[in-house]
C-alpha cells in the first residue's frame, strides 16, 4: 500500500462524521435549530447570549443562596441545584405529585432572587426569535412544568444521555415530541476543567451493561471508540445540544461551574417546549 492510499483511509483509523460537530452561531437561527433537530450537527453554541451585566446579576443573586443537591443515590458525585427538576420526581414512568408541590417552593425561591428580568423567559424568547412556531413552557395535564434550574456540577456529570421518550411512559408533555435538545447558559465557569463532552453514540440495549448501579450515569467504557468532541464553556454562552448523544461534564478546578438549564422538546405542533 502506498502512503497515498493510507492517507485516503484504507488503514483503520479515526473517522469523522461531518454531521457530528458543534456549530457556533450569532443566534439561534432557524437554520441552526433545523440542523440540530435534523441531526446535521450535534451542538449549537451562541457566544455572548446573555450580557456580562445580566450574567453577573443572576450569579450574584444565586451566590448568596443555598443550593440543594439532586437525589444523592441517583446523582453521584453530587450536583448542586437551585430550583426543582422533574428528574427527581419520577414515579412509575410518570411525574409524582411531589413535583407539583415542590414547584410552588421553586417559584417562590426564584422570585425571591429579586432579578430585574426572568432569565428563562429571556432564553425561551431567544430560542423562539427565528422559530416560526415559537417557544413555550411545556404542559402536562394542562399544568405548566418548571421553566428551568441553576445547576452546579463542580465534580462533573457522569457519562449519560437524556431522552424523555425513554425516561417516561407515554408522553411527558401534552404535545408529543419529535425532537429533543438540552439548553445551558453558563454564568460561572472554572479556569480549568468543566468541559462538556459529547460522544457520537446513542443508547442501545447493550449499553445497560455499563450502567452505574442506581445511577443516571454509565461507565465511560460505554462510549469507548466513539468519535467525540469537547467544549469549554464561556461565561454568557448558551449551548444547545442533542442530549440523546451520550455526554458528560468534566470536574471543575478553581471556580464554581454554574449554568441555567432546561430541556427543550420540538413538539408535533412545531413549537419548542421547555421544561426542567
Ligand atoms: O452542563 C453542561 O454543559 C451539560 C449538562 C447536561 O448534562 C445537560 O444539559 O443535559
Ligand atoms: Fe445531560
Amino acid at each position: 500500500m502506498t502512503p497515498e492510499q493510507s492517507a485516503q483511509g484504507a488503514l483503520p483509523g479515526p473517522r469523522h462524521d461531518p454531521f457530528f460537530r458543534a456549530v457556533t452561531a450569532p443566534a439561534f437561527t432557524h437554520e441552526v435549530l433545523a440542523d440540530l433537530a435534523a441531526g446535521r450537527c450535534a451542538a449549537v453554541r451562541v457566544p455572548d447570549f446573555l450580557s456580562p451585566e445580566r450574567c453577573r446579576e443572576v450569579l450574584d443573586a444565586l451566590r448568596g443562596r443555598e443550593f440543594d443537591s439532586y437525589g444523592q443515590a441517583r446523582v453521584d458525585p453530587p450536583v448542586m441545584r437551585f430550583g426543582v427538576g422533574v428528574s427527581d420526581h419520577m414515579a412509575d414512568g410518570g411525574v409524582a405529585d411531589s413535583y407539583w408541590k415542590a414547584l410552588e417552593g421553586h417559584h417562590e425561591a426564584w422570585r425571591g432572587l429579586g432579578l430585574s428580568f426572568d432569565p428563562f423567559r429571556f432564553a425561551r424568547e431567544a430560542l423562539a426569535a427565528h422559530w416560526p412556531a415559537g417557544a413555550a413552557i411545556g404542559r402536562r395535564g394542562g399544568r405548566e412544568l418548571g421553566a428551568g434550574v441553576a445547576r452546579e456540577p463542580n465534580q462533573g456529570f457522569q457519562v449519560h444521555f437524556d431522552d424523555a421518550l425513554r425516561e417516561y411512559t407515554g408522553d411527558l408533555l401534552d404535545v408529543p415530541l419529535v425532537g429533543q435538545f438540552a439548553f445551558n447558559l453558563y454564568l460561572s465557569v472554572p479556569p480549568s476543567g468543566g468541559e462538556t463532552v459529547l460522544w457520537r453514540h446513542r443508547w442501545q440495549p447493550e449499553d445497560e451493561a455499563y450502567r452505574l448501579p442506581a445511577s443516571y450515569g454509565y461507565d465511560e467504557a460505554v462510549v469507548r471508540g466513539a468519535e467525540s468532541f469537547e467544549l469549554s464553556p464561556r461565561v454568557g454562552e448558551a449551548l444547545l445540544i442533542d442530549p440523546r448523544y451520550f455526554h458528560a461534564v468534566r470536574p471543575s478546578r478553581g471556580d464554581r461551574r454554574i449554568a441555567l438549564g432546561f430541556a427543550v422538546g420540538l413538539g408535533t405542533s412545531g413549537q419548542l417546549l421547555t421544561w426542567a
Side-chain angles (χ1 to χ4, degrees):
M1 179 183 308
T2 66
E4 288 73 23
Q5 280 173 313
S6 70
Q8 285 162 12
L11 287 176
R15 301 280 184 93
H16 173 58
D17 171 358
F19 285 177
F20 187 71
R21 63 193 170 127
V23 170
T24 300
F28 289 107
T29 61
H30 187 261
E31 186 184 1
V32 293
L33 289 173
D35 281 352
L36 188 61
R40 233 186 249 125
C41 64
V44 176
R45 314 173 83 171
V46 176
D48 308 315
F49 179 82
L50 190 65
S51 71
E53 296 72 31
R54 283 185 150 187
C55 285
R56 203 166 312 120
E57 180 190 336
V58 182
L59 187 60
D60 285 349
L62 285 170
R63 270 200 186 115
R65 302 303 156 123
E66 208 164 304
F67 280 43
D68 295 325
S69 57
Y70 278 88
Q72 299 231 345
R74 197 177 61 83
V75 181
D76 185 46
V79 172
M80 303 308 285
R81 186 195 56 208
F82 187 81
V84 171
V86 70
S87 64
D88 272 339
H89 298 272
M90 273 169 53
D92 304 324
V95 177
D97 288 342
S98 60
Y99 173 69
W100 305 105
K101 192 90 204 102
L103 266 189
E104 295 167 18
H106 162 100
H107 290 129
E108 206 168 301
W110 275 92
R111 265 197 307 274
L113 291 179
L115 299 176
S116 68
F117 70 108
D118 175 349
F120 299 116
R121 174 184 291 272
F122 175 87
R124 278 195 310 279
E125 287 176 356
L127 285 171
H130 309 284
W131 193 254
I137 301 175
R139 290 174 180 273
R140 180 178 176 85
R143 285 189 285 189
E144 223 173 57
L145 280 82
V149 294
R151 289 186 297 209
E152 183 172 6
N154 291 333
Q155 297 170 72
F157 273 113
Q158 305 271 14
V159 175
H160 71 282
F161 70 95
D162 305 293
D163 184 349
L165 270 57
R166 295 192 186 279
E167 289 159 33
Y168 300 91
T169 307
D171 295 317
L172 170 64
L173 306 182
D174 293 341
V175 177
L177 301 181
V178 293
Q180 293 178 68
F181 315 121
F183 176 91
N184 281 276
L185 167 56
Y186 303 97
L187 300 176
S188 171
V189 301
S192 77
E195 300 90 351
T196 306
V197 190
L198 261 80
W199 286 270
R200 190 182 170 282
H201 180 79
R202 291 185 189 233
W203 182 86
Q204 53 188 39
E206 305 83 76
D207 293 343
E208 284 311 295
Y210 297 91
R211 168 86 78 159
L212 301 173
S215 170
Y216 73 105
Y218 292 77
D219 188 293
E220 196 159 330
V222 74
V223 290
R224 196 169 35 207
E227 183 178 355
S228 68
F229 61 78
E230 203 173 279
L231 305 171
S232 293
R234 301 282 185 85
V235 168
E237 174 186 282
L239 175 69
L240 200 61
I241 63 169
D242 180 338
R244 287 172 297 181
Y245 286 117
F246 274 88
H247 56 282
V249 172
R250 298 306 190 193
S252 295
R253 291 177 297 272
D255 204 353
R256 298 172 73 173
R257 185 189 192 278
I258 301 179
L260 302 184
F262 51 80
V264 185
L266 174 56
T268 49
S269 58
Q271 220 179 11
L272 298 168
L273 298 164
T274 70
W275 75 91

